[in-house]
Amino acid sequence: VNLSIDHVREKLGPQEPQRKEEFDSILANVKGEISRLNRLVGEFLSFGRPMRLHPQECAVDVLLREVGALVDHKARDQGIALAVEAEPGLPRVIADPELLKTCFLNLMINGLDAMPEGGRLTASVRRETSAGGAALRVEVTDSGRGMSEEEVRDAFEPYFSTKDTGLGIGLALTRKIVSDHGGTMQLSSVPGRGTTAALLLPLRTTTALASC
């Protein structure tokens, strides 16, 4: 697939500068996603073992916006209003940016799939202080069909899914990634009104990943 993309870029790229810039940007996103998925397949094959983190300093709000850009076309095709919101001045964290993008993408795709006839999807990040210390709170909220208490309880079980497609490991993998970053994940849902997935990434522990 990568070779085919390179061929398309070389042979079929537009000559007009503005269109060429957009064309190259889209293909770069595709190649980036192929690389991320290639790594994800490897991680899935060793699902029961600790993830191999590649930590670096990253801005969670930037990652969230990048994932929002990836799903924007799908959202518009479904008549879904997509909003990505970030509190100003958020601190950077030491984390694995590609794995965090996997988490955010899983949650946004789940939200879009819950709203086949349109709705609203909001992804946000803000700083939060609680008894556990300072953290970044990432929330993805949809206005879809919602989930029953039983579905929420079983949602993190591998191979559980309320959809006809997919393997049902998205939420289980997302929680594992967040846990390996020292964080936690919660789901809250109201049938007929929508679902919110919340990730807490503790600022007090993320720097420890730098030595992984």
Side-chain angles (χ1 to χ4, degrees):
V1 175
N2 266 317
L3 290 174
S4 296
I5 291 172
D6 291 337
H7 178 78
V8 168
R9 174 185 284 134
E10 181 180 349
K11 300 296 184 181
L12 303 178
Q15 298 302 312
E16 195 273 319
Q18 184 173 351
R19 291 187 60 215
K20 185 177 188 305
E21 182 179 355
E22 182 181 6
F23 180 82
D24 288 342
S25 175
I26 292 172
L27 291 188
N29 281 339
V30 173
K31 288 178 71 73
E33 286 302 289
I34 290 170
S35 176
R36 187 182 61 80
L37 290 172
N38 184 58
R39 179 183 173 192
L40 190 59
V41 169
E43 299 290 1
F44 170 69
L45 294 175
S46 57
F47 182 74
R49 292 180 286 177
M51 295 256 177
R52 290 169 295 176
L53 302 181
H54 302 288
Q56 57 186 275
E57 187 179 80
C58 56
V60 174
D61 55 327
V62 172
L63 298 179
L64 201 62
R65 289 192 177 97
E66 289 177 354
V67 174
L70 288 175
V71 303
D72 183 60
H73 286 290
K74 179 176 173 62
R76 282 187 283 172
D77 288 345
Q78 292 181 210
I80 294 171
L82 172 65
V84 179
E85 303 169 351
E87 178 183 309
L90 290 173
R92 290 175 174 262
V93 299
I94 301 298
D96 188 312
E98 296 306 317
L99 289 182
L100 289 188
K101 286 178 71 173
T102 294
C103 294
F104 303 157
L105 186 59
N106 283 341
L107 297 181
M108 289 192 196
I109 291 296
N110 281 351
L112 296 179
D113 288 345
M115 300 180 290
E117 299 179 359
R120 181 173 179 81
L121 182 69
T122 303
S124 65
V125 56
R126 67 179 187 271
R127 188 165 183 161
E128 181 174 290
T129 303
S130 63
L136 292 186
R137 182 181 185 89
V138 179
E139 289 188 350
V140 177
T141 301
D142 66 68
S143 61
R145 70 171 190 86
M147 304 169 69
S148 67
E149 291 183 9
E150 181 179 2
E151 288 173 333
V152 170
R153 186 186 67 238
D154 295 338
F156 296 112
E157 294 296 322
Y159 310 112
F160 172 83
S161 178
T162 61
K163 299 182 288 187
D164 295 331
T165 59
L167 294 175
I169 64 166
L171 287 179
L173 183 62
T174 297
R175 186 170 69 170
K176 178 173 175 55
I177 292 171
V178 173
S179 177
D180 285 355
H181 279 82
T184 59
M185 178 177 177
Q186 297 175 331
L187 275 183
S188 59
S189 189
V190 178
R193 297 184 60 183
T195 301
T196 294
L199 312 180
L200 278 180
L201 299 170
L203 293 174
R204 59 180 174 80
T205 60
T206 48
T207 53
L209 294 175
S211 61
C212 291

